[in-house]
Amino acid sequence: MAKIAYILLCHKDPEGIIAQAQRLTATGDFVSIHFDARAPREAFEAIRTALAANPSVTFARKRIKCGWGAWSLVEATLLAVQSAVDAFPHATHFYMLSGDCMPIKSAEFAHAFLDREEVDYIESFDFFTSDWIKTGIKEERLIYRHWFNERTHKRLFYGSMHLQQKLGLARQIPSDIQMQIGSQWWCLRRRTVEAVLDFCRLRKDVMRFFRTTWIPDETFFQTLVRHLVPEAEIRSRTLTFLMFTDYGMPVTFYNDHYDLLVSQDYLFARKISPDAKDLKERLGKLYAARGVRFTISNEGRSLFRFLTGRGRVGRRFAPRFWERESTLGRERTLMMVTCKKWHVAKRLVERVRDVTNLPAMDYLFNEGSTPLPDLGGIQTTLEKRTRHRRALVRMLFDYWQSDRLLFCIDPANVDLMQDFYNDKAQVRLLEIECDFTDDYLVGHARRVGLAGDRTPKETIDRLLPTIRYDVKFESDRIRDANFPGFHRIRQSASVDENTLPLAEFLDIPVEKAREIAATGHLFVD
């Protein structure tokens, strides 16, 4: 009978990971865990301690800092797979999961399903002739070397690629492999996994190639399995049920989706909302159940297309979520940085991105040129962003698949700050207090149209106290609002004095906060 070693890649929710591992091993299977090195070490230690006595759980030999679309995801997977191969000699299948996945069938059903055919389950379509990639770059993923992450260092990512194009530095794909693409959620037999690991040890040239491709988790295993396994032994499908919206974001499942999920022709589903406690409890009990008969209707995707299609022609069955008081999510943390000197806030946010890999944006509701992903048009103008602000921010959380998000906001937007504080999410605010010289305030007056190059000095002199008071008034208004989770750093303070507020605001170790606080030229005009 099949015995499954689950390869669990995760980066949050220690309690959920512990429950997942205990649930999967209770029915005789195994779990190998890689917990992202970007996550707090205390969370990882809590997982290790809770599962230390479980002989059916192992861990990757080292933790990797993972980034979306980067080689680090494949490296973390290989480490977890190698640990599983070494620790569980009786495992017959290896199944990729994330912390957001839940079983939608019983373990009994899953084992019988895998025993039915001696095959591997992995989406594997020709990279160049299939239409698997719907938007964005395609061939460029492979023929150029990608050292920067598109989501965290967009300018460097595209700048590097365009420079390679200009210099004619396109490279050749290894000649003996045919590039494939597909979902990263696969289930492979033991002999296939061992063949992949052997290939990795022998073919350093192929490994070097994949290390600098973009989004290799969609091409690496998909290509190697097709290269190593006869076509007749591959089923080009995933056993994990997932759907994407027209915006390219995964559909999230909630408590009322139980009946829909268990009727799909899949063994697991992602992604399950962290707030869907009842759904998780019901699916957890289902996995341990015996003798359950499943009626497979498999209508999930067609039903989703139908309902969203009715919405497009104005015949929807419920209000859109931005038309009612929709929360960002109780488990999510929204961080706002406010500063009258926009360039100072932008420098700080750029440094935060570099040090923490936290999804962070510039003046989301103040600058139309702030770079944003395509969210179906809601992001196109400042008017739309502000009108649908909670919808926009929720979609950004989903886009980056993160429970933490940061953006800059002008001190004058106190009402907007208050609106976010009224949400059920955890909200924090950091004020950057700057020194304002007369020259800076004069320049500010000219930038906003209060003065021009030919404005008399006497007029400027009368204007300066008013402008200075206006800046102070905005700061006082923020403080008078008594926002919880409010922190402040000051230009006049030392690095040490600014470190603790930064650490508390970002919820990061003091050492990383000091690295950010010590940013050179942070306050230079």
Side-chain angles (χ1 to χ4, degrees):
M1 186 180 77
K3 291 184 75 70
I4 308 168
Y6 290 102
I7 309 302
L8 187 56
L9 262 58
C10 43
H11 65 281
K12 61 181 179 180
D13 189 17
E15 291 182 2
I17 299 307
I18 293 166
Q20 179 82 303
Q22 290 171 337
R23 178 187 309 116
L24 296 176
T25 57
T27 56
D29 291 316
F30 312 103
V31 174
S32 179
I33 299 173
H34 178 275
F35 195 68
D36 196 332
R38 295 190 187 278
R41 182 164 186 83
E42 303 77 46
F44 176 63
E45 291 302 332
I47 297 172
R48 284 193 72 109
T49 301
L51 299 174
N54 191 331
S56 296
V57 175
T58 190
F59 294 85
R61 63 180 177 83
K62 67 175 180 178
R63 296 169 64 203
I64 301 295
K65 291 183 178 180
C66 295
W68 188 93
W71 169 255
S72 52
L73 285 175
V74 177
E75 186 177 7
T77 304
L78 288 171
L79 287 168
V81 166
Q82 185 65 67
S83 294
V85 168
D86 295 340
F88 310 127
H90 299 299
T92 61
H93 293 76
F94 295 76
Y95 195 125
M96 268 284 294
L97 288 178
S98 77
D100 294 324
C101 294
M102 284 292 292
I104 56 174
K105 296 291 185 295
S106 64
E108 181 182 58
F109 182 96
H111 294 150
F113 182 94
L114 294 177
D115 282 334
R116 201 174 303 157
E117 286 189 285
E118 184 63 21
V119 294
D120 297 305
Y121 295 90
I122 181 169
E123 280 192 350
S124 183
F125 304 104
D126 187 276
F127 185 94
F128 296 101
T129 61
S130 72
D131 64 346
W132 202 86
I133 298 175
K134 303 296 184 185
T135 60
I137 61 174
K138 186 170 183 178
E139 182 185 34
E140 293 87 349
R141 288 191 186 191
L142 308 177
I143 64 173
Y144 297 115
R145 297 164 181 83
H146 299 283
W147 297 285
F148 306 103
N149 193 294
E150 191 265 351
R151 289 196 171 181
T152 57
H153 297 89
K154 189 179 291 286
R155 287 185 182 178
L156 291 173
F157 179 90
Y158 286 106
S160 168
M161 187 174 72
H162 293 153
L163 180 61
Q164 292 178 70
Q165 289 175 325
K166 186 176 180 179
L167 297 177
L169 297 179
R171 60 178 172 174
Q172 295 295 316
I173 297 168
S175 59
D176 62 329
I177 63 173
Q178 183 178 358
M179 291 301 301
Q180 304 288 308
I181 192 166
S183 166
Q184 71 180 104
W185 311 109
W186 41 253
C187 179
L188 304 176
R189 295 167 296 171
R190 185 181 193 91
R191 67 185 184 191
T192 301
V193 163
E194 291 175 342
V196 168
L197 293 175
D198 288 341
F199 184 92
C200 293
R201 285 187 284 268
L202 293 172
R203 292 296 301 273
K204 302 300 182 185
D205 59 321
V206 175
M207 298 295 282
R208 282 194 300 272
F209 170 78
F210 275 107
R211 281 181 184 276
T212 51
T213 59
W214 179 233
I215 320 183
D217 53 304
E218 293 180 352
T219 56
F220 180 80
F221 288 96
Q222 296 77 358
T223 299
L224 296 197
V225 170
R226 183 70 68 173
H227 181 75
L228 297 167
V229 176
E231 184 174 0
E233 297 179 22
I234 298 174
R235 297 293 176 265
S236 191
R237 59 159 297 188
T238 175
L239 297 181
T240 298
F241 179 61
L242 65 163
M243 295 192 298
F244 289 90
T245 68
D246 291 347
Y247 309 134
M249 293 182 292
V251 173
T252 301
F253 299 108
Y254 296 92
N255 289 332
D256 54 351
H257 287 128
Y258 177 85
D259 292 328
L260 180 143
L261 291 176
V262 299
S263 66
Q264 304 309 306
D265 186 22
Y266 296 86
L267 305 184
F268 281 76
R270 77 177 304 267
K271 72 189 230 176
I272 309 298
S273 168
D275 295 327
K277 308 293 185 185
D278 293 343
L279 177 62
K280 288 186 174 184
E281 183 178 356
R282 292 181 72 183
L283 292 176
K285 291 178 180 178
L286 175 67
Y287 189 71
R290 300 186 66 84
V292 180
R293 299 188 65 179
F294 295 91
T295 302
I296 308 298
S297 58
N298 217 34
E299 81 297 342
R301 288 190 174 89
S302 58
L303 181 61
F304 180 75
R305 281 195 300 270
F306 172 76
L307 292 177
T308 53
R310 309 315 287 168
R312 289 191 195 95
V313 296
R315 295 171 58 192
R316 56 185 186 269
F317 301 98
R320 299 190 191 279
F321 72 83
W322 58 76
E323 294 174 339
R324 59 180 186 263
E325 284 301 309
S326 175
T327 179
L328 302 177
R330 294 179 184 273
E331 306 299 322
R332 286 171 165 171
T333 300
L334 178 65
M335 290 167 277
M336 296 181 286
V337 174
T338 187
C339 182
K340 200 61 182 178
K341 292 186 178 180
W342 289 8
H343 61 279
V344 175
K346 290 179 182 180
R347 285 179 194 149
L348 181 78
V349 165
E350 182 177 7
R351 190 64 176 142
V352 168
R353 282 195 294 261
D354 291 340
V355 173
T356 68
N357 203 34
L358 179 73
M361 290 150 291
D362 295 341
Y363 282 83
L364 184 58
F365 299 102
N366 303 104
E367 275 190 313
S369 59
T370 297
L372 289 175
D374 185 356
L375 302 175
I378 194 174
Q379 82 293 343
T380 52
T381 66
L382 288 177
E383 182 184 3
K384 280 188 176 182
R385 295 181 201 173
T386 305
R387 186 168 67 246
H388 305 310
R389 48 190 171 271
R390 294 202 196 184
L392 173 70
V393 173
R394 182 162 191 144
M395 292 168 81
L396 288 169
F397 273 113
D398 290 339
Y399 177 84
W400 274 295
Q401 298 184 32
S402 172
D403 288 332
R404 285 155 50 83
L405 188 71
L406 182 150
F407 63 78
C408 301
I409 188 168
D410 189 88
N413 295 134
V414 176
D415 292 342
L416 203 57
M417 299 175 194
Q418 185 65 65
D419 186 66
F420 283 115
Y421 264 98
N422 291 338
D423 194 270
K424 295 175 183 177
Q426 300 177 46
V427 182
R428 301 176 194 158
L429 179 66
L430 174 73
E431 182 187 22
I432 306 177
E433 183 179 291
C434 296
D435 300 332
F436 294 92
T437 64
D438 286 350
D439 286 344
Y440 180 86
L441 292 177
V442 170
H444 173 71
R446 287 172 176 157
R447 284 191 294 273
V448 298
L450 293 175
D453 292 336
R454 298 184 180 180
T455 302
K457 184 177 185 301
E458 295 78 16
T459 304
I460 294 289
D461 290 341
R462 287 196 301 270
L463 200 55
L464 276 177
T466 304
I467 298 172
R468 189 177 294 279
Y469 174 78
D470 189 59
V471 171
K472 185 177 185 302
F473 172 78
E474 289 178 353
S475 180
D476 288 342
R477 192 177 169 211
I478 290 172
R479 297 176 198 182
D480 290 342
N482 293 318
F483 291 129
F486 174 74
H487 305 273
R488 186 189 310 120
I489 63 173
R490 306 188 310 277
Q491 181 174 354
S492 58
S494 66
V495 169
D496 286 340
E497 289 173 325
N498 285 336
T499 293
L500 187 57
L502 273 173
E504 291 174 349
F505 172 70
L506 294 168
D507 194 19
I508 59 175
V510 170
E511 296 74 21
K512 286 187 177 292
R514 182 175 288 108
E515 188 178 350
I516 296 169
T519 302
H521 310 296
L522 177 62
F523 294 97
V524 174
D525 292 328

